[in-house]
Amino acid sequence: MRQGMMIVAALAGLMGAGAVMAGPDTQPGRYTAEQAAHGAQVYAQACAMCHKADLAGDFDTPALVGRFARNWAGGDLASLAGYLHRAMPAFAPGSLSAADNIAIVAYLLQANGEPAGPRPLPEDPAALKAMRFKP
Ligand code: HEC
């Protein structure tokens, strides 16, 4: 878990950088219900065996709800999508397609209480950079 702690520390640094950006988009309804439903499918296949079906994690895998949302509050979605793309699933990092990756971000927004809306979450990193996980 030492390596995990270092990643968490690095993420905290990224979030600090995100927090100084001007006017990030924190409006709800930034992903579609279809994206989240697809993300839930990918999650069930590639993530749930470690992070658990209820996203609560266990003693050596962090939860992706609750404390997770507080940790990521203010963090931008490009950082989250980039981390998922680089590091997850832990047994095969980088194996998710761009569309699957963004669908999982949509699913994580939904699982953390954000309602779906008419706008699809974009894959473009520059657009994601201007969006925060939570206000
Ligand atoms: C083999 C087990 C395993 C699988 C499968 C896995 N993860 Fe992880 N995940 C971990 C561990 C362990 C960590 C803690 C960081 C570390 O040690 O690398 C982590 C960390 C994370 C984090 C950062 C949590 C935080 O508090 O910032 C996210 C987000 C995440 N995983 C999402 C996913 C998603 C989405 C998938 C599926 C695509 C996935 N993980 C698949 C084990 C796993």
Side-chain angles (χ1 to χ4, degrees):
M1 280 310 288
R2 184 171 288 269
Q3 199 191 355
M5 294 303 290
M6 283 168 57
I7 291 170
V8 170
L11 287 174
L14 285 173
M15 283 182 260
V20 298
M21 283 185 18
D25 182 354
T26 54
Q27 270 197 310
R30 304 174 290 185
Y31 68 88
T32 64
E34 289 73 23
Q35 281 181 311
H38 178 61
Q41 270 173 5
V42 179
Y43 181 90
Q45 287 161 13
C47 320
M49 71 284 275
C50 294
H51 291 277
K52 303 299 167 196
D54 61 359
L55 298 95
D58 64 17
F59 54 89
D60 52 19
T61 305
L64 301 179
V65 290
R67 193 167 52 115
F68 172 78
R70 289 194 292 282
N71 290 346
W72 274 90
D76 69 80
L77 295 187
S79 301
L80 179 57
Y83 174 76
L84 293 181
H85 182 68
R86 282 192 309 278
M88 294 292 139
F91 60 80
S95 62
L96 296 174
S97 72
D100 284 358
N101 204 50
I102 211 67
I104 289 181
V105 174
Y107 175 59
L108 291 177
L109 289 173
Q110 182 180 59
N112 284 285
E114 183 172 317
R119 289 184 290 162
L121 196 61
E123 284 176 26
D124 174 22
L128 290 174
K129 186 90 191 153
M131 296 179 169
R132 287 186 190 175
F133 188 74
K134 291 242 178 205

